[in-house]
Amino acid sequence: MPSRNMRPSAFAGLANEELEHIKAASLSLRRRRINDARAKGKIGRNEPCPCGSGKKYKRCHGQ
């Protein structure tokens, strides 16, 4: 099992500043997707999480 500190090969050549920018953009996109889904109506516990993780909502952001 790879450790959490290892970078995927797609990000191997990027500087730390670039990685931080990518992480911030990803977090912002996840939050926006969740807020948009909540605005449309209630998200069912067993539906896929709108953040794009592939997990059920109850196991991801539904806590």
Side-chain angles (χ1 to χ4, degrees):
M1 174 179 247
S3 71
R4 292 181 144 208
N5 295 332
M6 292 180 60
R7 293 184 191 171
S9 60
F11 301 118
L14 298 177
N16 284 336
E17 296 165 354
E18 293 171 316
L19 287 174
E20 292 300 320
H21 178 70
I22 291 170
K23 286 179 186 178
S26 173
L27 182 60
S28 173
L29 179 61
R30 283 183 173 206
R31 286 182 180 159
R32 188 173 42 209
R33 284 181 181 169
I34 292 169
N35 289 336
D36 289 348
R38 285 180 180 158
K40 290 179 183 177
K42 185 173 181 179
I43 303 169
R45 289 177 44 79
N46 290 316
E47 292 181 22
C49 190
C51 76
S53 68
K55 296 180 183 179
K56 289 183 178 181
Y57 182 71
K58 68 182 177 183
R59 298 274 184 200
C60 193
H61 284 92
Q63 299 179 0

